[in-house]
Amino acid sequence: MRTFILIMLAMSGFSAFSQTKAKDVFAAAPDSIFPLLTTNNRLDCIDLIENNMKATVKNKLEQKAEMTALTDSYLQIKPSERSVVEIKMLNDSVFCLINTCLGPAPDSRISFFTHDWKPYKTTFPMPHATDFWTSVPDSLARDANFAQRSLEDLLLIQISADKENTELTLTIQTSELSGKEKEIAQKYVQPLRYRWNGKGFTR
C-alpha cells in the first residue's frame, strides 16, 4: 500500500500547489534528506498525525522520532532528540527545508527545492550578529560591542517557519554568552522576520 502511494505521488509530478502538500514532498523525499528515517517511518508519521494520534516512531538508530506538526503547507518532525526538520511550501513550485541542530544551542541551515526535490537556486541573506541588536544606551555601548563580537564568533542562528504564512523568524542564540555580555544581549537582542517575495526571502 505504501509503495503504491509513493508511485502515485511520483506520477502526479507535483503539477499544482493545490495538489502538492507538505506531506507529499515529505513522503517522496530522497533517503539522503532524512538519513535517520525509513520511508515507512515517514509514511507512518503521516498516518498517525492525520488520525489525531501521537506520531512517534523509532528511527534507524532505534531512537524516538516524532512528527509534531502537519498542515497542508507546513510540516515539522524531530528525526532525533537533537534535531528538528521543517518543510514549508512557499508557492506552486518551491518549498524550503530547514534543518536545526539542537545542541549546544539551536542552529539552523536552510535549503530550497522544487516540489520534485530538485535544488532551487536562490540566495538567502543570512544576517550578521549586529543585525539583531536594538539601540543600546551609550553607557552600555562598550559591553554591547564585546557581546556583539562574541555572538559574531559563535553565530548560532535558529530559523523557524511560520505555519500560517510564508514568513521566517531568525533568532540568534545568546545562551553561550556569560556574565555582563549575556545580560546585555538578552535585553537588547531581538528576532528578525523574513518574508517570501516570490523569488526569495527579504527582511
Side-chain angles (χ1 to χ4, degrees), residues 130-196:
T130 53
D131 295 328
F132 291 89
W133 286 74
T134 58
S135 298
V136 178
D138 291 342
S139 60
L140 297 175
R142 183 173 178 275
D143 291 321
N145 186 50
F146 286 135
Q148 288 173 3
R149 291 179 182 177
S150 297
L151 288 176
E152 193 69 53
D153 289 339
L154 295 170
L155 207 59
L156 300 175
I157 298 174
Q158 183 176 9
I159 304 173
S160 300
D162 194 299
K163 296 179 184 179
E164 306 299 329
N165 55 50
T166 54
E167 293 186 355
L168 302 177
T169 300
L170 276 67
T171 306
I172 193 168
Q173 304 302 305
T174 61
S175 60
E176 298 304 295
L177 299 179
S178 60
K180 189 70 172 180
E181 290 184 5
K182 184 174 183 178
E183 179 183 339
I184 293 175
Q186 290 181 337
K187 185 174 182 179
Y188 293 101
V189 164
Q190 64 179 5
L192 300 176
R193 299 284 288 181
Y194 281 66
R195 292 178 175 83
W196 176 255

Side-chain angles (χ1 to χ4, degrees), residues 112-114 117-121:
F112 297 85
F113 298 91
T114 59
W117 283 100
K118 293 179 180 177
Y120 178 76
K121 293 184 179 180

Side-chain angles (χ1 to χ4, degrees), residues 35 41 68 72 90-91 95 97 105 148 196:
N41 283 159
T68 52
D72 286 351
L90 298 173
N91 58 26
F95 67 93
L97 179 78
Q148 288 173 3
W196 176 255

